[in-house]
Amino acid sequence: MKDLAGLMKQAQAMQEKLGQAQQELEQLILLGQAGDGMVKVTLKGTGQIERVDIDDSLMVPGEADMVGDLVTAAHADAKRQLDARSAELMQKAAGPLAGMPGMPKF
């Protein structure tokens, strides 16, 4: 029974750490860029786009498709950063239980 109590304590501590990691993640602001910084997408830790900045030099007739591609690429850059940071925070929070059967994959 001692082992079960210890395991329950560990699980509760890990749950608290995961909650803290989730809160930290939600506070993140990440910047994705494309076209040598001509397009920037600011992404919140929740995954929502907060802002899109497009260099004025791109705002010319006939370039809409290119601008759209750059926005998509900048968002993908920010999303990759968010995914990496999320995995890092969650693995840190899970501690020695990370990767065990039944635990979420990060």
Side-chain angles (χ1 to χ4, degrees), residues 5-6 9 20 26 30 36 91 101 105:
K9 236 180 179 180
Q20 291 170 348
E26 289 174 2
L30 300 154
D36 289 329
Q91 283 180 333
K105 301 277 188 240

Side-chain angles (χ1 to χ4, degrees), residues 8-88:
M8 292 299 287
K9 236 180 179 180
Q10 271 187 317
Q12 184 177 13
M14 185 189 69
Q15 187 174 11
E16 288 173 11
K17 287 181 182 179
L18 287 172
Q20 291 170 348
Q22 185 65 37
Q23 287 177 349
E24 186 178 336
L25 185 62
E26 289 174 2
Q27 300 302 314
L28 287 177
I29 301 291
L30 300 154
L31 180 67
Q33 298 184 56
D36 289 329
M38 296 183 81
V39 174
K40 298 175 185 173
V41 171
T42 304
L43 192 66
K44 292 182 178 183
T46 57
Q48 294 176 316
I49 294 176
E50 182 173 88
R51 182 178 175 91
V52 176
D53 292 304
I54 301 171
D55 190 275
D56 288 339
S57 67
L58 295 175
M59 305 307 277
V60 294
E63 295 298 324
D65 286 342
M66 182 189 62
V67 172
D69 290 344
L70 289 171
V71 170
T72 301
H75 177 265
D77 180 41
K79 181 72 167 90
R80 276 190 297 277
Q81 293 176 50
L82 176 59
D83 291 346
R85 186 71 174 133
S86 176
E88 178 185 315

